[in-house]
Amino acid sequence: MEWCVLLCAFLLLGFVPIQADVDQSTLAALQIHKNLNRSQEACSNFWNYACGNYSASDGAKYVDNFELVEDQYAQAMVEFMEGDLEFVDSDVQLNEGPALHWPEEDFHSLESNEWALETAKFRRHGLNAVFFDERVDVAYNDSLRSVVQLKMPAPSSSYSERRALQLLKLHHSGSEAEVSRLVEQLRQLEAKHRQEEPLVQSWTLADLEQKIPQINWQAYFHELLSGHLNGVLFEVSDVDYLRELGQLLGNTSRSTINLYLRLRLTVLLKQTGPARRCPKTCIHHMRALLPLGMNYLYNRYVYKNRNLVDNIQLLEIFDSLKGMFGKYLEANRLQLSPAQLSYVREKLSTMKLRVGNLPEETSPAFYDSHYESANFSDYHHLDNVLEALSLRTRLQHDVLRLPHSRLDLRRYYVNDDVVKARTSPFYENERNTITVPLIFLQFPLFDHRQHSIFQYSLMGGVLAHELSHAFEHEGILFDADGNESPVGLQIRDTKTFQNAIKCAAQTPAVSLKERLADLNGLQLAYDTFFGMDHNSQLYTYRPYAFESEFQAPQLFHLSYAQFFCGILPPVLGHDRDDVRVNVNVANLRQFSLDFKCSPPAVESPPVCEMWRPTASSTLVSA
């Protein structure tokens, strides 16, 4: 859809209020007004202005809008299941088991003299990133070839370390000093070898055994893969770390290693399981561990709009964003060469949108057989959590048993090691695809009956953020097929690209790639709806039937901010929500015009833009 068509939907052609689906649009506008903090100026702290009254307006029932839609999803699934399935009577006592209960058939032999074998036994039950991170992904140069990736644990694993030590203190095992010493040694080893972009080696198992003989890889992978090792390739990072790790653990008592592994698995079970036992929390618990089954049930029996208007509208928004980004490329702000522009255009044109984390395969045989190896109990909760974690690990590694470990895209869906299922859309470099979880497609985040200004500001802003991940400093390295490419590296190394990165990094960020996606995403969403170089000072706007106070550009910004409204969460992966909103609007040229902000007393730094064309003289002179 061309931007001029959208623009004509609300620019001045008279003063007759614009008609839309008043019910849903009115609800969206009402929510915006409820969240407003009128004691705050929009120009000085926009997040506080747009969201500052959030907790007061809703009585703090929900932390944010994500928790609201998650609760709506859970309630709908509970109603479906209680209406269609027979449940165990509520008086039946489920055997939770003591805090350190382990099924004997799984762990009775773990006191062996080989720590790699012990680690593999725990890995089979879903425990990862204790001593090293082992996972199945695709090769950096072949996005359809599955490989085993080995590297040191991510810094985020330190939380599990602390929780394990806390559990140890509670149980007074007498081994606290030994385990604490091991944890400290591991931390020092990781700090010594951590690199921002470590070298990745592509090896066979024979190479791995030769290059890092300090670890018994044969025993580890024979246990984990049940002997299916033929043709498996390994991508290995942090080689020096792994060598020293093998030496460290080789000199550590087996009992200390075994106890630490048990403690870490206990932490995983506590993180993975529902915080309290009730139908809704169990729904979310299963959504994380059994994503295919839960998405299938929701899609088939609860979600009603998949093949109707939701898909059509989402694709319209997505195609509009892609069309505007294509116009960015025509302007070629980064002064890319023809070959580099062709690289970016191909990636943009082949990018896909997937509604729901479900595979293309729809045959009953596939769904009937997918979980057939699972052995769940009617009454023992802990056994079931362990079985679900084990099932997820088996399914992740099953692709290595296929010929040449080739990924079957018809049966592909995201099934990674999360303890909380995703609610927000996400982008995958290797698939060049944005996935919109079905749970996200609920009011107040999205509703097909809303006016387009709400859809293009909030959903459009989110999709534009994810699209922009394909073209920030990490995503640009992957080509249209999801393979790392030297052309992407050439683009990243250009002076203009590096200058854009430096500009975004002037304000400290938790994640630079998230900062870039934030800035580029809001700019792209705004331009897609209003058109490039839109200047609100040149227009008079008709009032909407559902909103008379705010003009269209102001309403766009307020609706965009609703995605971030809530009780400010801890910083994890992104900047805090208030920082994100305030930095984003500060780097949108039009924001100060739209809210008629006075010029700052001290000259502010220039806005940061990467792909967006430079401002025209019309906008600059206004």
Side-chain angles (χ1 to χ4, degrees), residues 69-70 73 284 287 298 422-423 437-442:
V69 298
E70 288 166 357
Y73 164 91
H284 291 304
R287 191 164 72 94
Y298 184 76
R422 292 180 178 86
T423 296
L438 297 179
I439 190 174
F440 193 83
L441 301 177
Q442 302 178 84

Side-chain angles (χ1 to χ4, degrees), residues 605-618:
V607 297
C608 296
E609 298 170 331
M610 176 174 280
W611 298 95
R612 196 186 197 200
T614 54
S616 70
S617 57
T618 303

Side-chain angles (χ1 to χ4, degrees), residues 43-74:
C43 300
S44 59
N45 187 331
F46 186 63
W47 181 89
N48 200 355
Y49 175 74
C51 301
N53 202 38
Y54 175 86
S55 59
S57 66
D58 280 332
K61 182 179 180 181
Y62 298 107
V63 171
D64 53 25
N65 285 325
F66 287 94
E67 190 170 85
L68 169 59
V69 298
E70 288 166 357
D71 187 65
Q72 292 171 173
Y73 164 91

